């Protein structure tokens, strides 16, 4: 069972879907690994024990610091992958062969051949497995409790109707890393239908936009609420503050008023906002 309150990383990397100005300010606030580490140290100290994050290069140094601090031993990590910009930049800079060698663990020649062979044979599953293994190297020895597929890939797979890849991802994370897979999406209803009805996954973990004003809730707020109420998936609400358009109390009251939301993922950049949001969520989700 996952914690009901999960801390996210958008503010660390200048991501705000409502305001570019806010995003820039947040990015400036977290210019170094130490800035991020200190925030996560505070988050851990006040009792938020789950962190969901993209596998951004800047976090490598942060995790090295965390590994040296016993206080983080019970801090649950939920990596979300792949971080597309990292691979796109490497592809442009190094070319396909060197990119595969850079990011795949073990024997580089074998990994490279497996990866290129996968592309040539139009079978992306070996590449998927190699990339998961590559990202997980960073977190070796840490308390990883789940592995998530980012929406840029999840929704592309949905659009191409290559649903078996989602199933393979879920199977691989469970067999190789003994943790459950999760999926980010910008179309909750469609993904839910594929995972539950077409692939038959039991209580799949889905992260999607869920908020009072229907911000980025696709295909519609009404439809998302209707499927949430089925309670046959484990649902994590992201953008519950609608990128700052809602106050925490108002936003949390809405989450508590609907059925089917199991946890909330949020990000904040100041200690006061982090603590305020945590306390409000804990109070309202306990109803």
């Amino acid at each position: 069972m996952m914690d009901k309150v999960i801390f996210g990383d958008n503010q660390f990397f200048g991501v705000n879907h409502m305001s570019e100005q806010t995003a820039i300010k947040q990015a400036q606030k977290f210019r170094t690994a130490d800035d991020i580490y200190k925030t996560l140290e505070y988050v851990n100290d006040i009792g938020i024990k789950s962190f969901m994050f993209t596998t951004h290069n800047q976090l490598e140094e942060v995790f090295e610091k965390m590994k040296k601090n016993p206080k983080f031993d019970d801090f649950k990590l939920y990596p979300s992958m792949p971080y597309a910009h990292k691979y796109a930049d490497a592809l442009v800079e190094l070319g396909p062969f060197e990119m595969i060698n850079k990011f795949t663990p073990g024997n580089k020649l074998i990994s490279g051949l497996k990866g290129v062979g996968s592309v040539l044979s139009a079978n992306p599953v070996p590449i998927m497995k190699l990339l998961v293994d590559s990202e997980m190297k960073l977190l070796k020895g840490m308390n990883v409790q789940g592995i998530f597929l980012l929406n840029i890939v999840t929704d592309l797979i949905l659009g191409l109707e290559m649903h078996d890849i989602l199933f393979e991802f879920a199977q691989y994370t469970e067999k190789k890393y003994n943790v459950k897979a999760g999926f980010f999406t910008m179309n909750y209803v469609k993904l839910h239908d594929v995972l539950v009805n077409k692939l038959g996954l039991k209580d799949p973990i889905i992260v999607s936009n869920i908020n009072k004003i229907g911000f980025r809730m696709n295909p519609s707020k009404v439809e998302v609420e209707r499927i949430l109420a089925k309670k046959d998936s484990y649902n994590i609400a992201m953008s519950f503050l609608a990128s700052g358009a809602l106050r925490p109390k108002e936003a949390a009251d809405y989450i508590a008023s609907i059925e089917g939301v199991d946890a909330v993922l949020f990000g904040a950049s100041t200690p006061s906002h982090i603590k305020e949001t945590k306390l409000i969520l804990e109070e309202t989700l306990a109803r």
Side-chain angles (χ1 to χ4, degrees), residues 207-267:
V207 187
S208 67
N209 296 284
I210 304 172
N211 54 76
K212 183 180 180 180
I213 64 174
F215 175 64
R216 305 183 94 192
M217 290 176 70
N218 295 312
S220 72
K221 183 169 178 275
V222 171
E223 273 298 288
V224 170
E225 289 176 349
R226 183 178 71 83
I227 302 301
L228 284 170
K230 291 178 179 287
K231 297 183 179 180
D232 53 3
S233 56
Y234 189 93
N235 304 303
I236 301 175
M238 67 176 175
S239 290
F240 97 107
L241 295 171
S243 285
L246 298 168
R247 298 301 304 158
K249 182 68 168 66
E250 178 186 17
D253 283 343
Y254 165 73
I255 295 295
S257 74
I258 62 173
E259 294 185 276
V261 176
D262 299 289
V264 175
L265 169 67
F266 83 98

Side-chain angles (χ1 to χ4, degrees), residues 57-186:
N57 289 336
Q58 197 173 343
L59 288 175
E60 292 183 22
E61 189 178 340
V62 176
F63 291 134
E64 289 306 313
K65 291 174 179 286
M66 290 170 64
K67 288 176 184 178
K68 297 173 184 176
N69 187 344
K71 289 198 301 183
F72 283 104
D73 287 351
D74 63 347
F75 195 63
K76 305 179 188 78
L77 299 177
Y78 296 94
S80 308
M81 55 187 70
Y83 184 65
H85 293 295
K86 176 166 65 178
Y87 296 100
D89 290 346
L91 180 62
V92 171
E93 181 183 345
L94 303 172
F97 284 94
E98 287 303 316
M99 181 199 73
I100 291 170
N101 282 339
K102 176 179 172 67
F103 290 113
T104 51
N107 186 299
K108 291 189 174 183
L109 177 60
I110 293 174
S111 295
L113 290 174
K114 283 170 65 180
V116 174
S118 169
V119 173
L120 294 177
S121 66
N123 176 14
V125 172
I127 279 282
M128 176 272 291
K129 293 178 178 179
L130 287 171
L131 292 180
V132 170
D133 291 344
S134 173
E135 302 284 19
M136 290 300 291
K137 280 198 305 179
L138 172 68
L139 302 165
K140 188 174 182 180
M142 301 188 78
N143 189 23
V144 175
Q145 292 292 311
I147 301 174
F148 285 68
L149 194 65
L150 284 171
N151 58 276
I152 190 171
V153 176
T154 302
D155 293 340
L156 176 63
I157 291 170
L158 285 180
L160 296 172
E161 298 187 353
M162 300 172 71
H163 303 151
D164 287 350
I165 300 175
L166 300 177
F167 183 80
E168 291 283 352
F169 177 76
Q171 292 294 300
Y172 189 65
T173 59
E174 230 170 289
K175 289 178 181 177
K176 178 75 181 281
Y177 295 100
N178 198 31
V179 297
K180 196 162 182 178
F183 303 88
F184 279 77
T185 185
M186 292 294 155

Side-chain angles (χ1 to χ4, degrees), residues 7 9 11-13 29-45 51 58-73 75 77 142 274:
F7 193 68
D9 71 344
Q11 68 284 340
F12 295 151
F13 308 116
K29 183 180 178 67
F30 298 104
R31 283 178 293 185
T32 70
D34 202 46
D35 295 329
I36 296 172
Y37 175 76
K38 286 177 181 176
T39 298
L40 291 177
E41 199 171 31
Y42 175 77
V43 164
N44 188 35
D45 287 344
F51 178 45
Q58 197 173 343
L59 288 175
E60 292 183 22
E61 189 178 340
V62 176
F63 291 134
E64 289 306 313
K65 291 174 179 286
M66 290 170 64
K67 288 176 184 178
K68 297 173 184 176
N69 187 344
K71 289 198 301 183
F72 283 104
D73 287 351
F75 195 63
L77 299 177
M142 301 188 78
I274 294 170

